């Protein structure tokens, strides 16, 4: 089973869409392995977005992701990384297809609502950045055999 890291960014929380967005992942058959509401620290934000350091949008990205609490979670399923990325949609909402989260809820790249790990390696790194091992829950979803 694969794990991926998802962040409902501060505008998703402010727009009161936490429940609606989590529902999409539950309906798809993803298991929530860990979840918290947290204002991301400067150090963690810089680590998380380190590949973007120096880009013209970097400062805005760091300040936006710290502008309020985010919901941070680990989702688990077969092919979790690819499934969640396709549910999230293209980085630029103008290119995100309707039906995807960014395609349904966002208009600007800077306020594109949600983060999802882009590979199994990134997921591992991001999970370790945001969660201590004891914050992950091991349990079985009763519906699992039917997914
Ligand atoms: P991703 O979130 O789809 O993986 P990345 O390229 O990793 O996209 O960029 C990280 C975040 O930086 C994006 O989600 C978006 O919020 C922001 N970003 C990326 N490109 C731009 C841009 O051209 N203008 C403004 N913000 C951007
Ligand atoms: Mg990315």
């Amino acid at each position: 089973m694969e794990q991926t890291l998802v962040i409902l960014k501060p505008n998703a929380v402010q727009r009161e869409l936490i429940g609606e967005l989590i529902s999409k992942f539950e309906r798809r058959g993803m298991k929530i392995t860990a979840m918290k509401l947290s204002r991301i620290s400067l150090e963690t934000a810089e680590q998380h977005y380190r590949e973007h350091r120096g880009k013209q949008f970097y400062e805005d990205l760091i300040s936006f992701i710290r502008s309020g609490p985010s919901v941070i979670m680990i989702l688990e399923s077969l092919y979790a990384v690819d499934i969640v990325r396709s549910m999230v949609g293209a980085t630029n909402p103008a290119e995100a297809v309707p039906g995807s989260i960014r395609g349904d809820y966002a208009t600007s790249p800077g306020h594109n609502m949600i983060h999802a790990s882009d590979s199994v390696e990134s997921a591992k790194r991001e999970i370790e950045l945001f969660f201590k091992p004891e914050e992950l829950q091991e349990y079985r979803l009763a519906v699992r055999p039917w997914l």
Side-chain angles (χ1 to χ4, degrees):
M1 214 56 59
E2 203 167 275
Q3 293 185 331
T4 191
L5 184 100
V6 166
I7 302 174
L8 307 182
K9 295 182 180 182
N11 63 329
V13 175
Q14 291 298 330
R15 289 173 62 190
E16 302 181 296
L17 290 168
I18 297 171
E20 202 165 305
L21 297 178
I22 291 175
S23 283
K24 291 175 184 289
F25 296 118
E26 288 187 305
R27 279 207 312 262
R28 185 67 186 257
M30 324 273 332
K31 182 168 83 174
I32 301 167
T33 301
M35 179 158 64
K36 59 184 158 194
L37 180 71
S38 165
R39 190 184 288 250
I40 297 172
S41 73
L42 179 59
E43 298 69 37
T44 302
E46 287 177 342
Q47 274 295 317
H48 178 63
Y49 284 126
R50 65 184 184 188
E51 64 177 298
H52 300 298
R53 199 185 198 110
K55 294 184 184 167
Q56 112 281 345
F57 59 84
Y58 179 76
E59 301 300 334
D60 287 345
L61 177 60
I62 298 295
S63 92
F64 170 62
I65 204 69
R66 304 191 61 243
S67 62
S70 296
V71 173
I72 308 161
M73 60 192 147
I74 302 171
L75 298 178
E76 186 178 300
S77 73
L78 280 176
Y79 312 111
V81 168
D82 286 348
I83 289 174
V84 173
R85 283 292 284 197
S86 72
M87 291 173 76
V88 162
T91 305
N92 183 349
E95 290 158 13
V97 294
S100 67
I101 291 170
R102 288 165 174 170
D104 281 351
Y105 295 90
T107 53
S108 81
H111 289 69
N112 62 7
M113 301 289 286
I114 184 162
H115 164 84
S117 309
D118 64 7
S119 66
V120 172
E121 299 70 48
S122 310
K124 185 175 182 308
R125 182 177 79 81
E126 293 171 2
I127 286 168
E128 283 171 10
L129 181 62
F130 285 97
F131 289 98
K132 301 190 191 90
E134 62 267 27
E135 291 179 294
L136 276 66
Q137 295 295 325
E138 269 188 42
Y139 64 101
R140 247 177 72 85
L141 277 185
V143 75
R144 175 71 227 156
W146 303 98
L147 294 173

